[in-house]
Amino acid sequence: MTSLPLVFDAPTRGLPPRHLADLDVAGRREAVVALGEKAFRAEQLSRHYFAGHLPEQMTDLTGAVREKLAGDLLPPLLTVVREVQTDAGDTVKTLWRGHDGTLVESVLMRYPERTTVCISSQAGCGMACPFCATGQAGLTRNLSTGEIVEQVVAAQRTEAARGGRVSNVVFMGMGEPLANYNRVIGAVRRIVDPAPHGVGIGQRSVVVSTVGLVPAMRRLTQEGLQVTLALSLHAPDDELRDTLVPVNTRWPVREVLGAALDYTASTGRRLSIEYALIRDVNDQPWRADLLARLLKHKLVHVNLIPLNPTPGSEWDASPKKAEREFVRRLRVAGVNATVRETRGREIAGACGQLSAAEA
Ligand code: SAH
């Protein structure tokens, strides 16, 4: 495997102290043994952590052992700064502060048949897509595996307290997951591994979304995971995509779609295409037809996202009429397409609106 260009290894300074969730099964056992405890304690501690239990609930560990293991392996990673709700409490955005003051956001969305948590993989984002609020502020730093997993564990704790559980995880919060590759893959494994080694969420219920970092997509294909890949396409032609998703100048539409479809071919998982509909920018009937031509006869689903407003942007969502026509053209060509139900606009928690502003 050729080494990945710099873009995949954003600043690591500022990462928090090592946490149980940063380690794989063998690493956790070693850490516990190094602390003078039997290896099986790693499983006990993991089972509690991934279920969302707090140290005082870990009653099968004596006080002293608990203090030692939790003190070393469960350092506090994220603390809640603020929680805001909408949809009668069914959409909850949480602003978190890391050990170094870094701010990130996650969004919990309860639906009748599932509960999804949308998590961040980086503080900020370096991909600079002009229609996305996260992209405007640039990248602060990568999140650690533990910090990524902690967002899921916290959501799981909240849901368990009301008799529910998190069923789906989407890497669609702040950051470009594939630009923080190793930590994100570590997090995916902790999220999908069954208890006691992980949270136990089904692989098929996890979505990793990317702007299209081709070498990392190819690497993901080799991981043997069954997670769903989402590609933020937003335009079917390079001329426009170069401006909407700047990394397109490096890996153009043809290449990025090729890599995404190779992932689909090797996993059998349907590819999600994300396409934010922007009035008079990418919503023309001819672009719908061009998109349909690219995707025809492929195992894909197009998620059209009505553009969410972001501060300082001069762009608007497409009018409903243009949106309906766009969907119609895709469907006529036999391409699956739906308009994504927008959640959390009122609390700046919808797609592209996460900026982790404290005020
Ligand atoms: N960096 C990854 C993960 C973020 S997912 C990626 O881009 O795929 C967030 C999704 O919301 C992406 O598809 C992104 O393009 C989209 N998005 C960003 N800004 C948006 C906005 N203002 N309105 C609607 N969707 C937006």
Side-chain angles (χ1 to χ4, degrees), residues 212-266:
L213 307 183
V214 167
M217 291 165 77
R218 299 227 172 269
R219 215 170 137 189
L220 181 65
T221 307
Q222 308 298 317
E223 299 283 349
L225 289 165
Q226 284 282 308
V227 298
T228 298
L229 182 66
L231 173 63
S232 294
L233 195 63
H234 304 306
D237 54 306
D238 287 322
E239 191 184 354
L240 178 59
R241 194 167 190 268
D242 280 351
T243 68
L244 294 180
V245 183
V247 79
N248 192 70
T249 55
R250 185 130 175 215
W251 296 290
V253 172
R254 192 183 46 79
E255 257 186 73
V256 94
L257 208 51
L261 290 169
D262 285 349
Y263 180 84
T264 292
S266 94

Short mmCIF file of all heavy atoms in Angstrom, two decimals, residues 212-266:
data_model
loop_
_atom_site.label_atom_id
_atom_site.label_comp_id
_atom_site.label_asym_id
_atom_site.label_seq_id
_atom_site.Cartn_x
_atom_site.Cartn_y
_atom_site.Cartn_z
N GLY A 212 -14.63 12.13 -0.76
CA GLY A 212 -14.06 11.35 -1.87
C GLY A 212 -12.55 11.35 -1.90
O GLY A 212 -11.94 11.74 -2.90
N LEU A 213 -11.93 10.92 -0.80
CA LEU A 213 -10.47 10.79 -0.77
C LEU A 213 -10.12 9.40 -1.30
O LEU A 213 -10.18 8.40 -0.57
CB LEU A 213 -9.95 11.00 0.66
CG LEU A 213 -10.43 12.31 1.33
CD1 LEU A 213 -9.80 12.46 2.72
CD2 LEU A 213 -10.11 13.52 0.47
N VAL A 214 -9.82 9.34 -2.58
CA VAL A 214 -9.76 8.06 -3.28
C VAL A 214 -8.80 7.04 -2.65
O VAL A 214 -9.19 5.90 -2.43
CB VAL A 214 -9.50 8.28 -4.79
CG1 VAL A 214 -9.12 6.98 -5.48
CG2 VAL A 214 -10.74 8.87 -5.43
N PRO A 215 -7.55 7.41 -2.34
CA PRO A 215 -6.67 6.38 -1.75
C PRO A 215 -7.24 5.80 -0.45
O PRO A 215 -7.12 4.60 -0.20
CB PRO A 215 -5.36 7.12 -1.50
CG PRO A 215 -5.41 8.32 -2.40
CD PRO A 215 -6.86 8.68 -2.53
N ALA A 216 -7.86 6.64 0.34
CA ALA A 216 -8.45 6.16 1.60
C ALA A 216 -9.69 5.30 1.34
O ALA A 216 -9.95 4.34 2.06
CB ALA A 216 -8.79 7.34 2.51
N MET A 217 -10.43 5.63 0.31
CA MET A 217 -11.60 4.80 -0.05
C MET A 217 -11.14 3.41 -0.48
O MET A 217 -11.75 2.40 -0.15
CB MET A 217 -12.40 5.47 -1.18
CG MET A 217 -13.09 6.75 -0.75
SD MET A 217 -13.64 7.74 -2.15
CE MET A 217 -15.11 6.83 -2.65
N ARG A 218 -10.02 3.39 -1.20
CA ARG A 218 -9.50 2.09 -1.65
C ARG A 218 -9.02 1.28 -0.46
O ARG A 218 -9.18 0.07 -0.39
CB ARG A 218 -8.37 2.31 -2.66
CG ARG A 218 -8.83 3.05 -3.91
CD ARG A 218 -8.34 2.37 -5.18
NE ARG A 218 -8.92 2.97 -6.37
CZ ARG A 218 -10.04 2.55 -6.94
NH1 ARG A 218 -10.71 1.51 -6.44
NH2 ARG A 218 -10.51 3.15 -8.02
N ARG A 219 -8.43 1.98 0.49
CA ARG A 219 -7.97 1.30 1.70
C ARG A 219 -9.16 0.75 2.49
O ARG A 219 -9.11 -0.37 3.01
CB ARG A 219 -7.20 2.32 2.55
CG ARG A 219 -6.04 1.74 3.28
CD ARG A 219 -5.22 2.86 3.86
NE ARG A 219 -4.82 2.53 5.21
CZ ARG A 219 -4.24 3.38 6.04
NH1 ARG A 219 -4.00 4.63 5.64
NH2 ARG A 219 -3.91 3.01 7.25
N LEU A 220 -10.21 1.55 2.57
CA LEU A 220 -11.42 1.12 3.28
C LEU A 220 -11.99 -0.16 2.66
O LEU A 220 -12.48 -1.04 3.37
CB LEU A 220 -12.47 2.25 3.22
CG LEU A 220 -13.80 1.99 3.92
CD1 LEU A 220 -13.62 1.85 5.43
CD2 LEU A 220 -14.80 3.11 3.62
N THR A 221 -11.90 -0.26 1.35
CA THR A 221 -12.40 -1.44 0.65
C THR A 221 -11.68 -2.70 1.12
O THR A 221 -12.24 -3.79 1.09
CB THR A 221 -12.23 -1.24 -0.87
OG1 THR A 221 -12.83 0.00 -1.23
CG2 THR A 221 -12.87 -2.36 -1.68
N GLN A 222 -10.41 -2.52 1.55
CA GLN A 222 -9.61 -3.69 1.99
C GLN A 222 -9.86 -4.07 3.45
O GLN A 222 -9.31 -5.06 3.92
CB GLN A 222 -8.10 -3.39 1.86
CG GLN A 222 -7.66 -2.87 0.50
CD GLN A 222 -7.91 -3.88 -0.59
OE1 GLN A 222 -7.66 -5.07 -0.41
NE2 GLN A 222 -8.45 -3.41 -1.71
N GLU A 223 -10.62 -3.28 4.19
CA GLU A 223 -10.76 -3.51 5.63
C GLU A 223 -11.64 -4.70 5.98
O GLU A 223 -11.67 -5.15 7.12
CB GLU A 223 -11.31 -2.26 6.35
CG GLU A 223 -10.46 -1.02 6.25
CD GLU A 223 -9.24 -1.04 7.18
OE1 GLU A 223 -9.16 -1.93 8.05
OE2 GLU A 223 -8.37 -0.17 7.01
N GLY A 224 -12.44 -5.14 5.00
CA GLY A 224 -13.36 -6.25 5.29
C GLY A 224 -14.53 -5.82 6.16
O GLY A 224 -15.12 -6.64 6.87
N LEU A 225 -14.87 -4.56 6.12
CA LEU A 225 -16.03 -4.07 6.88
C LEU A 225 -17.26 -4.04 5.97
O LEU A 225 -17.14 -4.01 4.75
CB LEU A 225 -15.74 -2.66 7.41
CG LEU A 225 -14.72 -2.55 8.54
CD1 LEU A 225 -14.26 -1.11 8.72
CD2 LEU A 225 -15.29 -3.10 9.85
N GLN A 226 -18.42 -4.01 6.61
CA GLN A 226 -19.68 -4.00 5.86
C GLN A 226 -20.46 -2.71 6.09
O GLN A 226 -21.68 -2.68 6.00
CB GLN A 226 -20.54 -5.18 6.32
CG GLN A 226 -20.09 -6.52 5.77
CD GLN A 226 -20.54 -6.68 4.33
OE1 GLN A 226 -21.72 -6.51 4.02
NE2 GLN A 226 -19.62 -7.00 3.45
N VAL A 227 -19.72 -1.65 6.46
CA VAL A 227 -20.42 -0.39 6.72
C VAL A 227 -20.85 0.23 5.39
O VAL A 227 -20.30 -0.09 4.33
CB VAL A 227 -19.55 0.60 7.51
CG1 VAL A 227 -19.20 0.04 8.88
CG2 VAL A 227 -18.28 0.97 6.75
N THR A 228 -21.85 1.10 5.46
CA THR A 228 -22.32 1.78 4.26
C THR A 228 -21.42 2.98 3.98
O THR A 228 -21.05 3.71 4.89
CB THR A 228 -23.78 2.25 4.47
OG1 THR A 228 -24.58 1.10 4.68
CG2 THR A 228 -24.29 3.02 3.27
N LEU A 229 -21.08 3.14 2.71
CA LEU A 229 -20.29 4.29 2.30
C LEU A 229 -21.23 5.32 1.68
O LEU A 229 -22.10 4.98 0.88
CB LEU A 229 -19.25 3.85 1.27
CG LEU A 229 -18.30 4.93 0.76
CD1 LEU A 229 -17.38 5.43 1.87
CD2 LEU A 229 -17.46 4.40 -0.41
N ALA A 230 -21.05 6.56 2.08
CA ALA A 230 -21.80 7.66 1.46
C ALA A 230 -20.79 8.58 0.79
O ALA A 230 -19.76 8.90 1.37
CB ALA A 230 -22.62 8.41 2.50
N LEU A 231 -21.09 8.97 -0.42
CA LEU A 231 -20.20 9.87 -1.16
C LEU A 231 -20.91 11.21 -1.35
O LEU A 231 -22.01 11.27 -1.90
CB LEU A 231 -19.86 9.24 -2.52
CG LEU A 231 -19.06 10.13 -3.48
CD1 LEU A 231 -17.68 10.46 -2.91
CD2 LEU A 231 -18.93 9.45 -4.85
N SER A 232 -20.26 12.27 -0.88
CA SER A 232 -20.82 13.61 -1.03
C SER A 232 -20.46 14.10 -2.43
O SER A 232 -19.39 14.66 -2.65
CB SER A 232 -20.25 14.55 0.04
OG SER A 232 -20.69 14.12 1.31
N LEU A 233 -21.35 13.87 -3.36
CA LEU A 233 -21.03 14.15 -4.77
C LEU A 233 -21.39 15.61 -5.14
O LEU A 233 -20.53 16.36 -5.58
CB LEU A 233 -21.76 13.16 -5.67
CG LEU A 233 -21.27 13.10 -7.11
CD1 LEU A 233 -19.82 12.64 -7.21
CD2 LEU A 233 -22.16 12.18 -7.97
N HIS A 234 -22.63 15.96 -4.99
CA HIS A 234 -23.13 17.34 -5.14
C HIS A 234 -23.07 17.91 -6.56
O HIS A 234 -23.65 18.97 -6.81
CB HIS A 234 -22.43 18.31 -4.18
CG HIS A 234 -22.54 17.90 -2.74
ND1 HIS A 234 -23.74 17.65 -2.13
CD2 HIS A 234 -21.59 17.67 -1.80
CE1 HIS A 234 -23.52 17.30 -0.86
NE2 HIS A 234 -22.23 17.29 -0.64
N ALA A 235 -22.37 17.25 -7.46
CA ALA A 235 -22.38 17.69 -8.87
C ALA A 235 -21.90 16.52 -9.71
O ALA A 235 -21.02 15.77 -9.28
CB ALA A 235 -21.45 18.89 -9.07
N PRO A 236 -22.46 16.35 -10.90
CA PRO A 236 -22.06 15.23 -11.75
C PRO A 236 -20.91 15.58 -12.69
O PRO A 236 -20.39 14.72 -13.40
CB PRO A 236 -23.33 14.94 -12.57
CG PRO A 236 -24.01 16.28 -12.68
CD PRO A 236 -23.63 17.08 -11.46
N ASP A 237 -20.52 16.86 -12.72
CA ASP A 237 -19.50 17.32 -13.66
C ASP A 237 -18.35 17.97 -12.90
O ASP A 237 -18.56 18.65 -11.89
CB ASP A 237 -20.10 18.32 -14.66
CG ASP A 237 -20.80 19.48 -13.96
OD1 ASP A 237 -21.70 19.22 -13.12
OD2 ASP A 237 -20.44 20.65 -14.21
N ASP A 238 -17.14 17.79 -13.41
CA ASP A 238 -15.95 18.30 -12.72
C ASP A 238 -15.93 19.82 -12.62
O ASP A 238 -15.47 20.37 -11.62
CB ASP A 238 -14.68 17.82 -13.42
CG ASP A 238 -14.44 16.33 -13.16
OD1 ASP A 238 -14.71 15.89 -12.03
OD2 ASP A 238 -14.02 15.63 -14.09
N GLU A 239 -16.43 20.47 -13.66
CA GLU A 239 -16.36 21.93 -13.66
C GLU A 239 -17.04 22.50 -12.42
O GLU A 239 -16.49 23.35 -11.71
CB GLU A 239 -16.99 22.48 -14.94
CG GLU A 239 -16.70 23.95 -15.12
CD GLU A 239 -17.39 24.53 -16.34
OE1 GLU A 239 -18.01 23.77 -17.13
OE2 GLU A 239 -17.33 25.76 -16.49
N LEU A 240 -18.24 22.00 -12.13
CA LEU A 240 -18.96 22.49 -10.95
C LEU A 240 -18.43 21.87 -9.66
O LEU A 240 -18.26 22.54 -8.64
CB LEU A 240 -20.47 22.21 -11.10
CG LEU A 240 -21.32 22.65 -9.91
CD1 LEU A 240 -21.18 24.15 -9.65
CD2 LEU A 240 -22.80 22.29 -10.13
N ARG A 241 -18.15 20.57 -9.70
CA ARG A 241 -17.72 19.91 -8.45
C ARG A 241 -16.40 20.47 -7.94
O ARG A 241 -16.16 20.53 -6.75
CB ARG A 241 -17.64 18.38 -8.65
CG ARG A 241 -17.54 17.64 -7.30
CD ARG A 241 -17.77 16.14 -7.41
NE ARG A 241 -17.89 15.54 -6.09
CZ ARG A 241 -16.90 15.01 -5.38
NH1 ARG A 241 -15.68 14.96 -5.90
NH2 ARG A 241 -17.09 14.52 -4.18
N ASP A 242 -15.54 20.89 -8.87
CA ASP A 242 -14.28 21.54 -8.45
C ASP A 242 -14.53 22.71 -7.50
O ASP A 242 -13.73 23.00 -6.62
CB ASP A 242 -13.52 22.08 -9.67
CG ASP A 242 -12.74 20.99 -10.40
OD1 ASP A 242 -12.64 19.87 -9.88
OD2 ASP A 242 -12.23 21.29 -11.51
N THR A 243 -15.65 23.40 -7.72
CA THR A 243 -15.94 24.58 -6.90
C THR A 243 -16.71 24.22 -5.63
O THR A 243 -16.56 24.88 -4.61
CB THR A 243 -16.76 25.64 -7.68
OG1 THR A 243 -18.08 25.11 -7.93
CG2 THR A 243 -16.10 25.99 -9.00
N LEU A 244 -17.53 23.17 -5.67
CA LEU A 244 -18.35 22.82 -4.50
C LEU A 244 -17.60 21.93 -3.51
O LEU A 244 -17.79 22.01 -2.30
CB LEU A 244 -19.64 22.11 -4.95
CG LEU A 244 -20.62 22.94 -5.77
CD1 LEU A 244 -21.84 22.09 -6.13
CD2 LEU A 244 -21.06 24.19 -5.00
N VAL A 245 -16.78 21.03 -4.05
CA VAL A 245 -16.01 20.09 -3.22
C VAL A 245 -14.57 20.19 -3.71
O VAL A 245 -14.14 19.46 -4.61
CB VAL A 245 -16.55 18.65 -3.38
CG1 VAL A 245 -15.81 17.69 -2.46
CG2 VAL A 245 -18.05 18.59 -3.10
N PRO A 246 -13.79 21.13 -3.15
CA PRO A 246 -12.49 21.48 -3.74
C PRO A 246 -11.54 20.29 -3.95
O PRO A 246 -10.72 20.33 -4.86
CB PRO A 246 -11.92 22.48 -2.73
CG PRO A 246 -13.11 23.10 -2.09
CD PRO A 246 -14.16 22.02 -2.03
N VAL A 247 -11.68 19.24 -3.14
CA VAL A 247 -10.78 18.10 -3.29
C VAL A 247 -11.01 17.39 -4.63
O VAL A 247 -10.22 16.55 -5.05
CB VAL A 247 -10.93 17.15 -2.08
CG1 VAL A 247 -12.17 16.27 -2.21
CG2 VAL A 247 -9.69 16.30 -1.88
N ASN A 248 -12.08 17.78 -5.32
CA ASN A 248 -12.36 17.21 -6.64
C ASN A 248 -11.26 17.52 -7.65
O ASN A 248 -11.05 16.78 -8.61
CB ASN A 248 -13.70 17.73 -7.17
CG ASN A 248 -14.18 16.97 -8.39
OD1 ASN A 248 -14.57 15.81 -8.28
ND2 ASN A 248 -14.14 17.60 -9.56
N THR A 249 -10.53 18.61 -7.42
CA THR A 249 -9.45 18.95 -8.35
C THR A 249 -8.36 17.87 -8.30
O THR A 249 -7.59 17.71 -9.24
CB THR A 249 -8.83 20.33 -8.03
OG1 THR A 249 -8.39 20.32 -6.67
CG2 THR A 249 -9.84 21.45 -8.23
N ARG A 250 -8.30 17.16 -7.20
CA ARG A 250 -7.31 16.09 -7.04
C ARG A 250 -7.86 14.74 -7.49
O ARG A 250 -7.16 13.97 -8.15
CB ARG A 250 -6.93 16.03 -5.57
CG ARG A 250 -5.85 15.07 -5.27
CD ARG A 250 -4.79 15.76 -4.46
NE ARG A 250 -3.77 14.84 -4.04
CZ ARG A 250 -3.15 14.92 -2.88
NH1 ARG A 250 -3.47 15.88 -2.02
NH2 ARG A 250 -2.23 14.06 -2.57
N TRP A 251 -9.09 14.43 -7.10
CA TRP A 251 -9.74 13.18 -7.50
C TRP A 251 -11.09 13.51 -8.12
O TRP A 251 -12.07 13.69 -7.41
CB TRP A 251 -9.90 12.24 -6.29
CG TRP A 251 -8.57 11.83 -5.73
CD1 TRP A 251 -7.66 10.99 -6.32
CD2 TRP A 251 -7.98 12.24 -4.49
NE1 TRP A 251 -6.55 10.86 -5.51
CE2 TRP A 251 -6.72 11.61 -4.38
CE3 TRP A 251 -8.41 13.07 -3.46
CZ2 TRP A 251 -5.88 11.80 -3.29
CZ3 TRP A 251 -7.58 13.26 -2.37
CH2 TRP A 251 -6.32 12.62 -2.30
N PRO A 252 -11.13 13.59 -9.44
CA PRO A 252 -12.34 14.04 -10.13
C PRO A 252 -13.48 13.01 -10.07
O PRO A 252 -13.31 11.89 -9.62
CB PRO A 252 -11.86 14.26 -11.56
CG PRO A 252 -10.64 13.43 -11.70
CD PRO A 252 -10.01 13.34 -10.35
N VAL A 253 -14.64 13.44 -10.55
CA VAL A 253 -15.88 12.66 -10.47
C VAL A 253 -15.70 11.22 -10.93
O VAL A 253 -16.09 10.28 -10.23
CB VAL A 253 -17.00 13.34 -11.31
CG1 VAL A 253 -18.23 12.45 -11.41
CG2 VAL A 253 -17.36 14.70 -10.71
N ARG A 254 -15.08 11.04 -12.09
CA ARG A 254 -14.95 9.69 -12.63
C ARG A 254 -14.17 8.78 -11.70
O ARG A 254 -14.53 7.64 -11.43
CB ARG A 254 -14.25 9.77 -14.00
CG ARG A 254 -14.29 8.52 -14.85
CD ARG A 254 -13.49 8.72 -16.14
NE ARG A 254 -12.18 9.34 -15.88
CZ ARG A 254 -11.11 8.68 -15.43
NH1 ARG A 254 -11.17 7.40 -15.20
NH2 ARG A 254 -9.96 9.33 -15.20
N GLU A 255 -13.08 9.32 -11.14
CA GLU A 255 -12.23 8.52 -10.24
C GLU A 255 -12.91 8.22 -8.92
O GLU A 255 -12.84 7.11 -8.40
CB GLU A 255 -10.96 9.31 -9.94
CG GLU A 255 -9.76 8.84 -10.70
CD GLU A 255 -8.51 9.57 -10.24
OE1 GLU A 255 -8.02 9.30 -9.13
OE2 GLU A 255 -8.06 10.45 -11.00
N VAL A 256 -13.58 9.23 -8.39
CA VAL A 256 -14.19 9.10 -7.07
C VAL A 256 -15.38 8.14 -7.13
O VAL A 256 -15.58 7.30 -6.25
CB VAL A 256 -14.53 10.52 -6.56
CG1 VAL A 256 -15.92 10.94 -6.86
CG2 VAL A 256 -14.20 10.65 -5.11
N LEU A 257 -16.13 8.24 -8.21
CA LEU A 257 -17.27 7.35 -8.37
C LEU A 257 -16.78 5.92 -8.61
O LEU A 257 -17.35 4.95 -8.10
CB LEU A 257 -18.11 7.85 -9.55
CG LEU A 257 -19.59 7.54 -9.51
CD1 LEU A 257 -20.22 7.95 -8.18
CD2 LEU A 257 -20.28 8.27 -10.65
N GLY A 258 -15.69 5.81 -9.36
CA GLY A 258 -15.10 4.49 -9.60
C GLY A 258 -14.69 3.83 -8.28
O GLY A 258 -15.00 2.66 -8.03
N ALA A 259 -14.03 4.58 -7.43
CA ALA A 259 -13.58 4.03 -6.14
C ALA A 259 -14.78 3.66 -5.27
O ALA A 259 -14.78 2.63 -4.59
CB ALA A 259 -12.69 5.04 -5.42
N ALA A 260 -15.81 4.50 -5.30
CA ALA A 260 -17.00 4.24 -4.47
C ALA A 260 -17.73 2.99 -4.98
O ALA A 260 -18.19 2.16 -4.19
CB ALA A 260 -17.93 5.44 -4.49
N LEU A 261 -17.82 2.84 -6.29
CA LEU A 261 -18.51 1.68 -6.85
C LEU A 261 -17.71 0.41 -6.64
O LEU A 261 -18.27 -0.68 -6.49
CB LEU A 261 -18.84 1.91 -8.32
CG LEU A 261 -19.92 2.99 -8.54
CD1 LEU A 261 -20.03 3.37 -10.02
CD2 LEU A 261 -21.29 2.54 -8.01
N ASP A 262 -16.39 0.53 -6.60
CA ASP A 262 -15.56 -0.64 -6.27
C ASP A 262 -15.82 -1.10 -4.84
O ASP A 262 -15.85 -2.29 -4.54
CB ASP A 262 -14.06 -0.32 -6.44
CG ASP A 262 -13.66 -0.26 -7.91
OD1 ASP A 262 -14.48 -0.68 -8.77
OD2 ASP A 262 -12.54 0.20 -8.21
N TYR A 263 -16.00 -0.12 -3.94
CA TYR A 263 -16.35 -0.47 -2.56
C TYR A 263 -17.66 -1.25 -2.55
O TYR A 263 -17.80 -2.30 -1.90
CB TYR A 263 -16.46 0.79 -1.69
CG TYR A 263 -16.82 0.48 -0.25
CD1 TYR A 263 -15.84 0.14 0.68
CD2 TYR A 263 -18.15 0.50 0.18
CE1 TYR A 263 -16.17 -0.18 2.01
CE2 TYR A 263 -18.49 0.19 1.50
CZ TYR A 263 -17.50 -0.15 2.40
OH TYR A 263 -17.83 -0.47 3.70
N THR A 264 -18.62 -0.73 -3.29
CA THR A 264 -19.93 -1.37 -3.39
C THR A 264 -19.81 -2.78 -3.96
O THR A 264 -20.41 -3.72 -3.45
CB THR A 264 -20.84 -0.51 -4.29
OG1 THR A 264 -21.11 0.69 -3.59
CG2 THR A 264 -22.14 -1.18 -4.61
N ALA A 265 -19.01 -2.92 -5.01
CA ALA A 265 -18.86 -4.23 -5.64
C ALA A 265 -18.26 -5.23 -4.66
O ALA A 265 -18.66 -6.39 -4.61
CB ALA A 265 -18.00 -4.12 -6.89
N SER A 266 -17.30 -4.77 -3.85
CA SER A 266 -16.64 -5.75 -2.99
C SER A 266 -17.41 -6.01 -1.70
O SER A 266 -17.22 -7.04 -1.08
CB SER A 266 -15.18 -5.34 -2.75
OG SER A 266 -15.07 -4.61 -1.58
#
